[in-house]
Amino acid sequence: IILNARGQDNVELPSTAGSNILWQAEHYTYHEKYFKESPEKYQPATRAGLERASHTNFVDYVKQRNAVASLRQHIGKAFEKVDLLITPTMKTPPGLLSASNAGGGTGAGGATAATPIGAAANGVSSFDAFGLPTISIRCGFSSVGTPVGLSISGARFAEPTVLALAASYERSTDW
């Protein structure tokens, strides 16, 4: 739901399905040296993700890179009716840490505190793929007391507008 001077509008965003191939390969590229030297130093979920990423098919990577480039060319249409997009930061609330669960409790929708980078719980990864300025700010608490956030995203080069709304929201709340 998008709020504007007229009220709110629903804006459809193109799917970024498959873009995780890019991010997984980029995460692996960054960690490759250390991962090969000491994989045991990585948490199990992160280690499993890096292991999968180490087998990325270069043809799939190039196809997805081209698809993301096309998405970035067309995302501007989402901003023809609105200036900013307001979305949840995460698709599910964060989980609780608990001593009995060695690293992570379960939150709504099965989210855990040990959820690896790039997991489905992340609601802002699409904006990363689109190359849009996005900021996440706290907006309240879940039913179990963990913080939840909202994300403010703008068109390309709209960083001042995104930051202005975030600052205004933070000044007008107790966060």
Side-chain angles (χ1 to χ4, degrees), residues 125-146:
S125 60
S126 294
F127 299 104
D128 184 27
F130 296 140
L132 299 177
T134 300
I135 188 169
S136 174
I137 56 177
R138 191 168 71 176
C139 68
F141 295 91
S142 71
S143 61
V144 295
T146 55

Side-chain angles (χ1 to χ4, degrees), residues 70-134:
S70 178
L71 283 172
R72 287 182 175 182
Q73 290 176 351
H74 294 92
I75 191 60
K77 292 179 182 175
F79 294 95
E80 289 176 353
K81 297 190 314 184
V82 299
D83 295 319
L84 297 167
L85 304 174
I86 311 298
T87 59
T89 297
M90 306 251 326
K91 294 177 183 177
T92 60
L96 293 172
L97 293 176
S98 70
S100 64
N101 194 358
T106 302
T112 66
T115 302
I117 294 172
N122 185 345
V124 297
S125 60
S126 294
F127 299 104
D128 184 27
F130 296 140
L132 299 177
T134 300

Side-chain angles (χ1 to χ4, degrees), residues 4-163:
N4 63 34
R6 298 182 317 267
Q8 64 187 32
D9 286 321
N10 288 323
V11 175
E12 299 255 348
L13 298 175
S15 171
T16 58
S19 63
N20 61 332
I21 291 170
L22 300 178
W23 318 137
Q24 289 172 353
E26 290 174 5
H27 292 156
Y28 181 75
T29 299
Y30 179 82
H31 289 276
E32 179 183 27
K33 177 180 184 257
Y34 306 106
F35 185 67
K36 285 181 176 179
E37 291 173 0
S38 328
E40 72 282 356
K41 292 183 178 179
Y42 289 84
Q43 293 180 359
T46 303
R47 187 170 50 243
L50 290 170
E51 181 61 35
R52 280 191 308 275
S54 72
H55 302 292
T56 299
N57 178 300
F58 76 91
V59 173
D60 292 339
Y61 179 87
V62 171
K63 285 180 181 177
Q64 194 56 46
R65 173 58 65 198
N66 291 337
V68 167
S70 178
L71 283 172
R72 287 182 175 182
Q73 290 176 351
H74 294 92
I75 191 60
K77 292 179 182 175
F79 294 95
E80 289 176 353
K81 297 190 314 184
V82 299
D83 295 319
L84 297 167
L85 304 174
I86 311 298
T87 59
T89 297
M90 306 251 326
K91 294 177 183 177
T92 60
L96 293 172
L97 293 176
S98 70
S100 64
N101 194 358
T106 302
T112 66
T115 302
I117 294 172
N122 185 345
V124 297
S125 60
S126 294
F127 299 104
D128 184 27
F130 296 140
L132 299 177
T134 300
I135 188 169
S136 174
I137 56 177
R138 191 168 71 176
C139 68
F141 295 91
S142 71
S143 61
V144 295
T146 55
V148 295
L150 67 86
S151 294
I152 303 168
S153 302
R156 288 181 154 219
F157 308 110
E159 288 87 346
T161 307
V162 170
L163 294 173

